[in-house]
C-alpha cells in the first residue's frame, strides 16, 4: 500500500477561518487531512497553484433542506413521495451544495426518519458528498409548521417520546418548530406552538441524550420562550408580529449572553427576482440582523436552502456576503460561514478551519474576498476530505499554474 499523495494548494492569499494564517498561502494535504498550513511546499508534493485567488475552509451551511427543491408545494409533495424518491432528491441536492463549495451542511428538516439513512449513504457512497448532519423530522404540533414531515406531537410526554425516537434513528440535532412558518398555510406565525412545559420537556430530553436543540422561531414570544426553555440555537429569529417586525433589545441581549447561535437564514442568489412583499420584509429584517450583530449575538450562516427558488443548495456564499453587507468585516462574515458554523454543528477542531489535523475541506475563490466580499461567491475549486470535486478550467489560464506544477505532463484543460 503506497502512502497517500502529498498535495500543496498554493494561492496568493489564505484565510484559515480565523485569520490570514502564518507564512505563505499554502495548504498541504495528505489523504483526507490538512497536514500543514503556511509552509513552503516540500519537493515531494504535487503543487496546484491558483495565483490571484484565496484558499478558504470549505463552507458550512447550518440550515439546509436537501429534500426541498424550492417549489411552493415541495413540502406537501414529500408526503406522497416514496422514501427512495426523496432519498434520490436529497442526494442530488447534496451534490449541488458540494459543487458550490459547501463541504458540510446541517439538514434541518427532512421527511419521516429519512435524514440519518441518507446521511449514512452519502458518507459511505462512491460519489463525493458533503459531510451531512441531520435533524430528521422537525418536532411540531398537529397541523403546525411542517407537520407533513411526520414530527407532530401533543403534550410533553409525546415531545419526549419523539426526541427519543429521533435519537434512536441516529439524528445529530433536534429541530423544533417553536412557532408557525410561512411555508405551512394555517400554522400561526405570530405565536408559540408549544407551552413552556412542553418545550422544556423536549429540550431536557434532548440534552439528556446529548443532542443539541435548535428552534425555528419567528415572533418575539416564540424567541423568548425558546431562550427561556434552554435551546442551543434559533433559526430565522425574525421578531415578526402583526405583519411588522418588533426586535426586543433586552431579549437580544439575553440571546447574546447565553451564546445561543442565531441563523437568520439569509442568502439569496442575485439573479432571483425577489417578490416585492418579501423584499419589503427583508429590508426591515436586515436592520434586525445588524442589531443582532452589533449587540454581540453569535450569528451563523445558513441559507434555508431548498425553501425558495432563490435559495438553491449552493447559495451559502451569498449568506456570507449578506453578513458583510450588514456590518460584519469580511473576515467575520467568512468565519460565520466556516469556523463558527462548524462550531455550531459540534464540529470544532475537525472542520471549518484550515489547520493541521483538520479535514482537508478546501475551497478556492478567485480574487480576494477579504478585500471584496463578493469574491466569496467566485468558487473555482473544491476539495472535500482530500478529494478534488471541482476544478474549473479557468485555472488553466493562469500561467503560474503550469509553471509550478510538479510531475510533468500537460495539464488537462476541461470545459468546466
Ligand atoms: Zn428551514
Amino acid at each position: 500500500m503506497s502512502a497517500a499523495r502529498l498535495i500543496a494548494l498554493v494561492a496568493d492569499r489564505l484565510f484559515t477561518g480565523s485569520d490570514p494564517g502564518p507564512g505563505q498561502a499554502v495548504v498541504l494535504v495528505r489523504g483526507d487531512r490538512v497536514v500543514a498550513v503556511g509552509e513552503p511546499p516540500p519537493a515531494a508534493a504535487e503543487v496546484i497553484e491558483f495565483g490571484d485567488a484565496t484558499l478558504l475552509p470549505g463552507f458550512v451551511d447550518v440550515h439546509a433542506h436537501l429534500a426541498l427543491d424550492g417549489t411552493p408545494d415541495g413540502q406537501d409533495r414529500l408526503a406522497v413521495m416514496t422514501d427512495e424518491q426523496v432519498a434520490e432528491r436529497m442526494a442530488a441536492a447534496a451534490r449541488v451544495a458540494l459543487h458550490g463549495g459547501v463541504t458540510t451542511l446541517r439538514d434541518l428538516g427532512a421527511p419521516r426518519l429519512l435524514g440519518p439513512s441518507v446521511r449514512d449513504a452519502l458518507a459511505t457512497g462512491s460519489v463525493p458528498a458533503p459531510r451531512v448532519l441531520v435533524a430528521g423530522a422537525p418536532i411540531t404540533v398537529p397541523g403546525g409548521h411542517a407537520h407533513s414531515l411526520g414530527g407532530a406531537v401533543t403534550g410533553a410526554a409525546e415531545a419526549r417520546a419523539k426526541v427519543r425516537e429521533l435519537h434512536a434513528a441516529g439524528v445529530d440535532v433536534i429541530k423544533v418548530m417553536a412557532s408557525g412558518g410561512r411555508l405551512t398555510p394555517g400554522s400561526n406565525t405570530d405565536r408559540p406552538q408549544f407551552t413552556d412545559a412542553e418545550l422544556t420537556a423536549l429540550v431536557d430530553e434532548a440534552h439528556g441524550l446529548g443532542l443539541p436543540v435548535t428552534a425555528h422561531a419567528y415572533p418575539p414570544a416564540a424567541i423568548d420562550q425558546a431562550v427561556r426553555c434552554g435551546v442551543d440555537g434559533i433559526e430565522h429569529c425574525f421578531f415578526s408580529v402583526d405583519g411588522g417586525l418588533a426586535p426586543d433589545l433586552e431579549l437580544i441581549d439575553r440571546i447574546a449572553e447565553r451564546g445561543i447561535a442565531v441563523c437568520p437564514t439569509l442568502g439569496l442568489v442575485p439573479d432571483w427576482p425577489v417578490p416585492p412583499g418579501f423584499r419589503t420584509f427583508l429590508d426591515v429584517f436586515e436592520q434586525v440582523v445588524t442589531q443582532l450583530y452589533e449587540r454581540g449575538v453569535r450569528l451563523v450562516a445558513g441559507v434555508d436552502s431548498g425553501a425558495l427558488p432563490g435559495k438553491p443548495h449552493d447559495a451559502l456564499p451569498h449568506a456570507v456576503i449578506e453578513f458583510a453587507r450588514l456590518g460584519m468585516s469580511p473576515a467575520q462574515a467568512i468565519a460565520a460561514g466556516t469556523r463558527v458554523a462548524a462550531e455550531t454543528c459540534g464540529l470544532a477542531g475537525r472542520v471549518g478551519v484550515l489547520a493541521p489535523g483538520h479535514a482537508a475541506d478546501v475551497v478556492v475563490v478567485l480574487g480576494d474576498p477579504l478585500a471584496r466580499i463578493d469574491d466569496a461567491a467566485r468558487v473555482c475549486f473544491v476539495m472535500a476530505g482530500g478529494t478534488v470535486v471541482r476544478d474549473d478550467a479557468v485555472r488553466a489560464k493562469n500561467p503560474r499554474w503550469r509553471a509550478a506544477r510538479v510531475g510533468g505532463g500537460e495539464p488537462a484543460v476541461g470545459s468546466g
Side-chain angles (χ1 to χ4, degrees):
M1 191 180 105
S2 64
R5 289 187 305 161
L6 201 54
I7 301 173
L9 306 175
V10 181
D12 286 357
R13 286 166 296 273
L14 164 79
F15 180 70
T16 65
S18 298
D19 52 58
Q24 300 180 26
V26 177
V27 174
L28 199 61
V29 169
R30 189 193 294 280
D32 61 358
R33 300 277 142 190
V34 172
V35 293
V37 174
E39 295 168 17
E46 177 189 348
V47 176
I48 306 178
E49 181 165 354
F50 298 92
D52 183 13
T54 304
L55 307 172
L56 302 175
F59 292 117
V60 180
D61 187 344
V62 305
H63 190 140
H65 296 285
L66 293 175
L68 295 182
D69 63 358
T71 54
D73 60 345
Q75 196 175 283
D76 294 333
R77 264 186 298 138
L78 293 174
V80 295
M81 289 168 69
T82 66
D83 285 359
E84 290 71 24
Q85 287 169 325
V86 178
E88 213 169 279
R89 183 193 274 195
M90 292 177 74
R95 287 193 291 275
V96 170
L98 186 61
H99 187 258
V102 178
T103 52
T104 299
L105 63 86
R106 188 172 69 168
D107 188 294
L108 287 188
R112 310 180 282 277
L113 296 172
L114 268 175
S117 56
V118 169
R119 174 198 62 200
D120 296 345
L122 289 172
T124 56
S126 54
V127 180
R131 178 180 297 93
V132 174
L133 291 89
V134 296
I139 302 180
T140 188
V141 297
H145 183 35
H147 64 91
S148 64
L149 298 181
V153 299
T154 300
E158 280 190 28
R160 285 186 186 272
K162 180 59 78 174
V163 170
R164 288 196 295 274
E165 181 189 359
L166 289 163
H167 174 262
V171 302
D172 304 286
V173 57
I174 296 294
K175 165 91 172 290
V176 60
M177 301 305 201
S179 74
R182 278 186 302 215
L183 286 186
T184 310
S187 70
N188 192 329
T189 56
D190 284 345
R191 56 185 295 263
Q193 295 201 123
F194 292 96
T195 64
D196 281 14
E198 289 164 345
L199 191 55
T200 301
L202 181 154
V203 171
D204 178 66
E205 192 69 33
H207 286 176
L209 294 167
L211 290 172
V213 177
T214 195
H216 158 112
Y218 284 5
I223 296 167
D224 178 57
Q225 183 193 48
V227 172
R228 282 187 287 104
C229 296
V231 303
D232 307 280
I234 297 175
E235 309 299 318
H236 310 298
C237 205
F238 292 154
F239 285 95
S240 56
V241 66
D242 285 340
L245 300 188
D248 173 341
L249 298 185
E250 183 275 330
L251 176 52
I252 291 174
D253 288 346
R254 267 190 289 138
I255 296 170
E257 271 162 36
R258 295 193 181 202
I260 294 170
V262 171
C263 171
T265 56
L266 301 173
L268 291 168
V269 288
D271 56 355
W272 184 56
V274 182
F278 189 42
R279 183 73 263 167
T280 306
F281 162 80
L282 282 175
D283 286 344
V284 185
F285 179 54
E286 286 170 358
Q287 298 170 34
V288 176
V289 175
T290 299
Q291 280 180 311
L292 292 168
Y293 165 67
E294 288 177 351
R295 299 184 88 87
V297 171
R298 187 154 72 103
L299 290 171
V300 286
V303 170
D304 209 357
S305 46
L308 291 170
K311 292 178 170 294
H313 292 94
D314 57 357
L316 198 277
H318 297 287
V320 167
I321 291 167
E322 189 87 342
F323 273 152
R325 206 167 60 70
L326 298 178
M328 285 189 191
S329 71
Q332 286 170 322
I334 296 167
T338 56
R339 176 176 55 81
V340 183
E343 289 166 1
T344 298
C345 291
L347 298 171
R350 295 161 61 196
V351 305
V353 177
L354 295 176
H358 284 234
D361 296 347
V362 188
V363 164
V364 183
V365 298
L366 298 173
D368 181 5
L370 293 176
R372 290 175 307 276
I373 191 63
D374 285 357
D375 287 350
R378 298 173 71 201
V379 175
C380 69
F381 176 95
V382 180
M383 173 181 273
T387 300
V388 177
V389 296
R390 173 174 176 180
D391 187 2
D392 290 6
V394 66
R395 195 164 58 71
K397 296 184 185 128
N398 168 18
R400 278 193 285 161
W401 175 64
R402 184 186 296 211
R405 192 179 168 93
V406 172
E410 284 295 298
V413 182
S415 59

